[in-house]
Amino acid sequence: MKITDVRSIILQHDLEEPLGYSQMYFSKRTAHLLQVETDDGLTGIGEVFGAGTLAFANRAIVERVLRPLLIGRNPLDIGVIWHEVYNLLRDHGQKGMPIQALSGVDIALWDILGQATGLPLYQLLGGKARDSVLAYGYGMMFRNVADLPGAFHEEAARIVEMGFRAAKMKIGMGRAMDLRLAEAVRNGAGDGVRLMADANHAYTPGEAIQIGLGLRELGFYWFEEPVMPEDYEGYREVRAALPGLLIAGGEAEYTRYGMRELITRRCVDILQPEVAATGGVSEFGKILALASAFGTPVVPHVWGSDVLIAVNLHLAHALPDIPGGLFQFEPMLEYDTTPSLFREHLLAESLDVRGQVKRNGGRVSVGDKPGLGIALNWDFVEKYRVD
Ligand code: CA
């Protein structure tokens, strides 16, 4: 089997109102999908992290840099291809967009391997560690409304009503406002719901510790990206100062080489690799090996279309409990509940995450079809593609 083409597909739609986090507001939804075609008719699907205008820069890397390296190669030589491409990119970008682009290709190659062998991705990764995973409802993004705490309170209640037993909110507006928002979310969600707060690296260690003390008092489960991803010592300071509140991070870190620092320096309680950025399924496995050797649990970061949600459903089922036990910590599936058309409609057959969450106490199961087990709904794709 040989690779005959590699193509990017960028989808975009306008949002009714801008959504924000600690670094920016955005008013368009973007998804960067990728197809790897082969001479025996199999087509692998991937997704590349990097929203908005970054998707167009990543598309140039996919089509102008990676495509010529891939045409004619055996798509099942996944590990060999990864290593060769990484070596060639190394001098020009060990982190960021080149690795995001490589991630999308790698995901598509695993999809092809699954189709070629008739096995679902979770099986290729070693099998299902559990029959279903707990999904957590991502929401509570910044909006331009007069009463943001009131809006967060309502949204938290709505996420719980959808059936989610865990939810994540944005913070990063300064200590006073963050704690008002966190209190509103706690009140809206109720006491039994597991809550996470995500600062998207908006704080210094000193500020993060102050805010973390407030989150801990409200019974939050984890504090995500409190400080800059480059500040490994800052992570350690925050973690040491906040016993009782888990520190999570890793979405802005790349490959096993970057993750090595977060893991070996014990910067985080929970590592969050983004499979569509950090190097793909292949690299995710290497990062998992490193994390397990240091006893650090992995909960995948997810922010993308249903293609990426499908990949992460497989990953979340295949991940081991770390360290392991009958009543153990379990990985969760991150599920974005904020407005996007690229969920529920993008695939020929919906993943029905929301339906499953509602019916199954907040839990979701992965299907048994080969590879990622998905096909694109082409009418939908043609309607929203902008390339
Ligand atoms: Ca995050």
Side-chain angles (χ1 to χ4, degrees), residues 154-166:
E154 244 173 61
E155 194 176 344
R158 209 164 50 238
I159 287 174
V160 173
E161 220 177 271
M162 288 178 201
F164 290 100
R165 304 279 172 90

Side-chain angles (χ1 to χ4, degrees), residues 7-305:
R7 287 186 224 212
S8 280
I9 302 165
I10 299 178
L11 308 177
Q12 213 163 48
H13 73 81
D14 291 325
L15 287 168
E16 275 176 29
E17 60 168 336
L19 293 173
Y21 59 105
S22 68
Q23 305 300 330
M24 69 181 291
Y25 285 83
F26 58 92
S27 53
K28 281 180 194 299
R29 275 280 181 186
T30 313
H32 181 181
L33 311 182
L34 180 147
Q35 276 205 129
V36 175
E37 294 167 11
T38 64
D39 62 355
D40 78 351
L42 296 182
T43 297
I45 304 173
E47 182 162 351
V48 180
F49 191 74
T53 48
L54 295 176
F56 297 93
N58 269 331
R59 180 176 65 185
I61 298 175
V62 168
E63 294 188 343
R64 307 292 284 271
V65 182
L66 302 186
R67 186 175 177 274
L69 298 171
L70 293 161
I71 301 275
R73 302 293 300 262
N74 178 351
L76 305 187
D77 288 343
I78 305 178
V80 177
I81 289 174
W82 197 99
H83 187 70
E84 272 186 36
V85 172
Y86 181 79
N87 268 338
L88 288 167
L89 297 176
R90 181 180 258 145
D91 293 21
H92 312 283
Q94 297 152 17
K95 299 187 183 194
M97 288 192 288
I99 307 301
Q100 292 173 346
L102 172 59
S103 301
V105 168
D106 183 85
I107 290 168
L109 296 183
W110 278 89
D111 189 23
I112 292 172
L113 174 62
Q115 293 175 50
T117 56
L119 297 170
L121 178 59
Y122 72 75
Q123 198 68 63
L124 299 174
L125 297 176
K128 268 194 231 180
R130 56 195 63 81
D131 290 327
S132 65
V133 295
L134 189 71
Y136 72 83
Y138 165 113
M140 283 75 73
M141 298 194 74
F142 301 163
R143 289 153 60 197
N144 292 314
V145 293
D147 176 17
L148 195 59
F152 271 31
H153 182 285
E154 244 173 61
E155 194 176 344
R158 209 164 50 238
I159 287 174
V160 173
E161 220 177 271
M162 288 178 201
F164 290 100
R165 304 279 172 90
K168 189 162 83 187
M169 65 177 294
K170 290 300 186 193
I171 55 170
M173 292 187 145
R175 176 165 168 251
M177 188 55 163
D178 279 358
L179 294 182
R180 274 183 67 197
L181 294 171
E183 202 180 342
V185 168
R186 169 53 77 202
N187 290 335
D191 280 341
V193 175
R194 182 185 283 185
L195 293 178
M196 289 79 79
D198 183 1
N200 291 95
H201 48 77
Y203 290 120
T204 64
E207 291 168 329
I209 290 165
Q210 285 191 324
I211 292 159
L213 290 171
L215 293 174
R216 189 173 69 181
E217 211 160 291
L218 289 164
F220 271 63
Y221 182 63
W222 82 47
F223 185 1
E224 180 170 323
E225 287 206 292
V227 297
M228 300 189 301
E230 302 92 336
D231 188 7
Y232 303 117
E233 288 306 312
Y235 261 103
R236 288 167 57 87
E237 278 174 40
V238 171
R239 189 172 174 228
L242 293 169
L245 179 64
L246 302 179
I247 302 302
E251 70 184 82
E253 193 53 83
Y254 290 81
T255 75
R256 80 200 85 149
Y257 307 112
M259 294 291 181
R260 175 176 59 193
E261 302 308 314
L262 281 177
I263 294 168
T264 61
R265 297 195 199 182
R266 297 193 172 276
C267 295
V268 294
D269 294 285
I270 291 172
L271 190 72
Q272 300 173 291
E274 165 54 68
V275 67
T278 203
V281 174
S282 301
E283 199 60 9
F284 196 98
K286 294 188 166 73
I287 291 163
L288 178 63
L290 202 51
S292 67
F294 281 82
T296 303
V298 171
V299 177
H301 173 269
V302 191
W303 212 77
S305 79

